[in-house]
Amino acid sequence: MTVLEQRGAYRPSPPPAWQPRTDPAPLLPDAEPYRVLGTESAAKADPGLLLRLYAQLVRGRRYNAQATALTKQGRLAVYPSSTGQEACQIGAALALEERDWLFPSYRDTLAVVARGVDPVQALTLLRGDWHNGYDPYAHRVAPLSTPLATQLPHAVGLAHAARLKGDDVVALAMVGDGGTSEGDFHEALNFAAVWQAPVVFLVQNNGFAISVPLAKQTAAPSLAHKAVGYGMPGRLVDGNDAAAVHEVLAEAVRHARAGGGPTLVEAVTYRLDAHTNADDATRYRQDAEVAAWRAHDPVELLERELTARGLLDEAGIEAARQDAETMAAALREHMNRDPEPDPMDLFDHVYADTTAQLREQRALLRAELEAEQEQSGAGERPGAREGGTR
Amino acid sequence: MTTVAVKPATLAQALNRAMRDAMAADPAVHVLGEDVGTLGGVFRVTDGLAKEFGEDRCTDTPLAEAGILGTAVGMAMYGLRPVVEMQFDAFAYPAFEQLVSHVARMRNRTRGRMPLPITVRVPYGGGIGGVEHHSDSSEVYYMATPGLHVVTPATVADAYGLLRRAIASDDPVVFLEPKRLYWSKDTWDPERPTDVAPIGRAVVRRPGSGATLITYGPSLPVCLEAAEAAQAEGWDLEVIDLRSLVPFDDETVCAAVRRTGRAVVVHESTGFGGPGGEIAARITERCFHHLEAPVLRVAGFDIPYPPPMLERHHLPGVDRILDAVARLQWEAEG
Ligand SMILES: Cc1ncc(C[n+]2csc(CCOP(=O)(O)OP(=O)(O)O)c2C)c(N)n1
């Protein structure tokens, strides 16, 4: 059955010369999300890979908990937790080679860290000291993108440029279910398919865009179905199954690298925490739904598989926890220690060569700061106050 | 304009009340946007509207700003009065094409046959510790687009009155909500809301004779604080709240400047190419012979909006305003 017949859409009878460019059938996602853990395919999975995934998942879970705690202490301005989504982020990031690029969305700190970015630097944006804490070229990770879906065309452009240069570089672009409604999502997928760019789009469908459930976001049978209209394959995967996510992403990356063009992968998962610490999730979802998803926890799924196969014992679990604790302790320590950024940095990097106007404004701020320092010694002048609120 | 002292209401509550009253009064008024329904908006400005008027009147849309405003154009074409919410200043940019190419000029293109009574609510400005793209002052982009009204309230009473006026307007209104004032309170009776002057009228918030501070939205409380502090230095400052950037109230502004002979424009949007340049030029053109000193601007720096930890250095504060006022005095003496 073709996708058009399946959707019951109106289909004009084609003129005699008309041929569909592709048969949509092979592009269509399966009806059920692909799973590895708890199925027969699990036996074929590489034990080394599973253990690597496990260690990263445990770290990721701890990272989310630590960052959330830091928002409560006021050390982080905001943190969009990805608890429950660790398998998507890590399974995907580990499917890339070193030379590949990652284009993350604002919730994807774990994927960024899994690419080797320092855990503290990955939090710079959310801490509020600068907009981006790491060198994008050092790890081939674009800055975390706050405006939704806007980074997707960038991924397409970069992958296209790499191919024009003859490099076999693949770009992985991540977006949420809500972000798939943006025009940029459509344009990026269309460009990627027309150019056959080596890009993999990963949608983490965690059920909600802040308060809006998927049913109000799309009428498509699945988000993976959207691929077909652009002429690229769509794949549906259980986003809580790290082995499955890794396998599907790795295949899509291989396909792209070999010149096969883009793939759209939808990972079905769930956001266990609120949207951010500023959000009240009880306004729009039921506890029972959250509980059902807790029973399908990505860390536990993998732990069960590994212990059942004798690849992991109590000591191994403890070692992974210890490693995560060490990372969390370092994160805490840095957040408590790192000094406030220097206000004079405001004027750096606005342009390659600064302007006369910016030099003037820089001098104004320097004079203000010096006066402020003098006054803090000599007592405040009446009414003197710092500008703005925090 | 009187406010009735009953219990304090926040600016956000006044906006909410304005939409409720407008929806109750006119079935053509529809609210749409991201998270405006069940959640009541991320700032709770649309709280309760979906419950009271149903999801067809207050609709959670897909996450697509161009789509939200574009469909609002069609709704308005068919006789509805859409009130759309853009979640944050920088997330309104995807809708820019619709705003500039259609919303702003549909009346003109159709020689008056297809007016678009759309209100575009945009929370704007900094000072709340938001991460990047959550603090832009985008007013100058809207001001530069003919066909749009650009309105920004700074008090609870104005929030109500101006939003009612905006929704009732037969022209599109970009309604800029200073998000750092959402929680500021005033004694204002939500049961007996007061009307305000039509869109396009500025108001003198504090009379004075030494110099005039001209401001709007988020910078109004800062200017009032500066005027208080200036008293200690022996300066009697006047403060004007523009309320509407387009249309611009030349009359009120020029009358004030002619009285004091000195003016400072204060806003947190960037200075270069910012609203202050236009305002200073208008004053100079109309009041040149009354001016004792050049019109000065106190604005945000000409940089992309900085991260939260540094924003206090970027935003115009009391000291920076007082320094400008001091320079005005010096110009007069020297
Ligand atoms: C262009 C744009 N519009 C609105 C927002 C405000 N916003 C931030 S996150 C969010 C919901 C995103 O949902 P989804 O894409 O499903 O990702 P998730 O948060 O679930 O990871 C919204 C509306 C934004 N960041 N960018």
Side-chain angles (χ1 to χ4, degrees), chain B residues 276-297:
Chain B
E278 173 62 30
I279 297 166
R282 302 181 80 77
I283 293 172
T284 309
E285 283 166 2
R286 287 165 176 76
C287 312
F288 183 70
H289 296 294
H290 296 82
L291 286 174
E292 307 281 353
V295 182
L296 297 184
R297 287 169 289 169

Side-chain angles (χ1 to χ4, degrees), chain A residues 85 105-107 146-148 150 175-180 182 204 206 208-210 271 275, chain B residues 34-35 63 65 87-88 90-91 94 134:
Chain A
Q85 301 179 223
S105 196
Y106 74 104
R107 199 184 292 284
T146 307
L148 300 167
T150 50
V175 67
D177 43 297
T180 65
E182 291 282 2
Q204 288 175 79
N206 66 5
F208 290 90
I210 308 190
R271 192 191 74 212
H275 169 66
Chain B
E34 294 155 14
D35 302 288
L63 208 171
E65 294 76 12
Q87 201 160 72
F88 275 92
F91 307 144
H134 287 78

Side-chain angles (χ1 to χ4, degrees), chain A residues 22-383:
Chain A
T22 41
D23 172 6
L27 304 179
L28 266 177
D30 293 335
E32 281 294 307
Y34 179 66
R35 291 201 174 85
V36 169
L37 301 177
T39 75
E40 280 165 15
S41 326
K44 284 183 277 172
D46 167 20
L49 171 70
L50 293 184
L51 284 167
R52 267 209 319 283
L53 286 170
Y54 177 72
Q56 292 279 346
L57 286 194
V58 173
R59 262 178 156 247
R61 175 62 53 90
R62 189 66 190 86
Y63 187 96
N64 278 327
Q66 186 58 61
T68 303
L70 286 164
T71 60
K72 296 197 176 113
Q73 297 154 18
R75 289 281 164 191
L76 271 180
V78 67
Y79 185 71
S81 164
S82 57
T83 295
Q85 301 179 223
E86 294 93 341
C88 304
Q89 302 214 2
I90 286 155
L94 293 194
L96 294 179
E97 301 288 336
E98 213 177 300
R99 61 188 179 286
D100 296 333
W101 273 78
L102 175 70
F103 284 80
S105 196
Y106 74 104
R107 199 184 292 284
D108 300 324
T109 34
L110 296 190
V112 169
V113 172
R115 284 288 285 163
V117 170
D118 180 282
V120 176
Q121 290 181 354
L123 282 179
T124 302
L125 166 74
L126 301 160
R127 181 168 184 248
D129 44 5
W130 265 107
H131 297 316
N132 183 270
Y134 51 89
D135 174 1
Y137 287 99
H139 300 283
R140 307 193 173 212
V141 178
L144 291 155
S145 180
T146 307
L148 300 167
T150 50
Q151 79 283 14
L152 305 181
H154 309 169
V156 177
L158 181 135
H160 180 61
R163 210 171 59 141
L164 292 179
K165 278 192 163 184
D167 298 336
D168 66 340
V169 166
V170 174
L172 168 62
M174 298 172 77
V175 67
D177 43 297
T180 65
S181 295
E182 291 282 2
D184 277 359
F185 173 82
H186 159 75
E187 295 182 28
L189 263 70
N190 196 45
F191 269 74
V194 169
W195 286 351
Q196 288 290 290
V199 186
V200 179
F201 298 97
L202 173 64
V203 181
Q204 288 175 79
N205 171 7
N206 66 5
F208 290 90
I210 308 190
S211 69
V212 179
L214 188 70
K216 286 189 183 176
Q217 205 65 247
T218 181
S222 79
L223 294 170
H225 273 76
K226 296 194 175 215
V228 183
Y230 299 103
M232 73 173 81
R235 296 282 172 262
L236 197 57
V237 60
D238 181 341
N240 287 20
D241 179 336
V245 172
H246 186 273
E247 190 184 315
V248 170
L249 264 292
E251 190 195 301
V253 167
R254 269 196 306 275
H255 182 72
R257 205 184 307 282
T263 304
L264 172 65
V265 181
E266 174 187 357
V268 184
T269 181
Y270 195 79
R271 192 191 74 212
L272 287 171
D273 289 339
H275 169 66
T276 66
N277 48 310
D279 172 43
D280 174 11
T282 60
R283 277 184 168 241
Y284 54 83
R285 70 184 190 188
Q286 306 292 320
D287 289 345
E289 184 182 273
V290 183
W293 277 93
R294 271 192 207 289
H296 191 59
D297 184 293
V299 186
E300 282 167 24
L301 278 183
L302 187 53
E303 200 172 279
R304 235 178 285 146
E305 182 78 39
L306 286 168
T307 39
R309 281 175 62 186
L311 294 167
L312 189 68
D313 55 11
E314 274 307 317
I317 294 173
E318 192 45 38
R321 292 214 177 117
Q322 273 309 325
D323 168 59
E325 276 314 316
T326 308
M327 180 269 316
L331 207 57
R332 269 198 312 273
E333 208 247 323
H334 264 281
M335 288 294 159
N336 290 319
R337 191 189 58 199
D338 276 357
E340 289 230 352
D342 181 359
M344 300 318 290
D345 289 352
L346 285 174
F347 304 98
D348 295 342
H349 309 296
V350 181
Y351 302 103
D353 299 315
T354 196
T355 63
Q357 285 77 18
L358 283 181
R359 271 196 296 273
E360 237 171 61
Q361 292 171 20
R362 193 172 202 281
L364 168 72
L365 181 60
R366 162 133 10 245
E368 281 181 3
L369 292 170
E370 279 165 9
E372 206 175 273
Q373 229 171 13
E374 248 167 59
Q375 273 161 22
S376 68
E380 241 184 299
R381 124 173 162 217

Side-chain angles (χ1 to χ4, degrees), chain B residues 14 21 52 56 127 131 187 197 204 237 267 285 317:
Chain B
D21 288 356
E52 190 169 339
D56 284 346
V131 289
T187 45
V204 178
L237 296 187
H267 58 63
E285 283 166 2

